[in-house]
Amino acid sequence: MAIITYEHQFRVAYKDTDQMGVMHHSNYIVLYEKARTEWLRYMGLTYAEIERRGVMSPILEVHSKYIYPAFYDELLTARVILEEMPTARFTIHCEIYNEQGKMINKGYVVLGFINKETRRPCRIPQWFQERLDEYIAEQGE
């Protein structure tokens, strides 16, 4: 069950397609990152701010399942889903839908939290947890 969902739209650019006009498989991972970044921004936490506060979030794992192709100039919707609260790891699921609302891709990214100075793993910072809690409460209103 999702704790948080957020949607962001993207249009498939010509540069992101192959000769057949199909979006290259590597671009789905890029969409996951763009959607995740926009969700954090919407929530009030940019990566720049997170890093200024001394925390970095390296990617530990990526999984992507390709269901149907996306085509040049198609408007895609990426749905970011948080199913469980982060601890020292942060798993963000992503579903990509085409203009007809058909799911064409799904996957997830596992990020860690590390101290920017020591580069050692750490737990979710208190201020990040508090912002997540506030955001969840706002979405429930």
Side-chain angles (χ1 to χ4, degrees), residues 77-125:
T77 301
R79 179 177 296 150
V80 173
I81 304 161
L82 181 66
E83 294 181 350
E84 57 188 32
M85 294 303 278
T87 55
R89 290 177 175 235
F90 195 13
T91 302
I92 301 176
H93 298 265
C94 195
E95 298 172 349
I96 310 293
Y97 294 86
N98 66 13
E99 291 177 359
Q100 292 74 40
K102 186 177 198 176
M103 184 190 300
I104 62 171
N105 177 277
K106 66 180 181 176
Y108 61 87
V109 176
V110 179
L111 299 103
F113 290 106
I114 65 170
N115 179 293
K116 186 177 176 183
E117 297 300 318
T118 65
R119 305 284 174 142
R120 303 284 303 155
C122 61
R123 296 189 59 76
I124 182 174

Side-chain angles (χ1 to χ4, degrees), residues 11-60:
R11 189 159 304 274
V12 178
Y14 185 77
K15 71 175 184 65
D16 295 330
T17 63
D18 59 20
Q19 275 187 312
M20 298 178 290
V22 173
M23 188 169 81
H24 192 267
H25 67 277
S26 64
N27 288 307
Y28 288 94
I29 307 306
V30 174
L31 290 186
Y32 295 176
E33 181 161 355
K34 286 181 179 181
R36 181 175 70 248
T37 300
E38 290 304 317
W39 165 62
L40 286 170
R41 181 182 312 282
Y42 181 77
M43 197 171 69
L45 292 172
T46 65
Y47 272 120
E49 175 63 22
I50 292 167
E51 290 181 6
R52 268 193 296 275
R53 289 180 175 221
V55 177
M56 299 177 83
S57 294
I59 292 177
L60 306 174

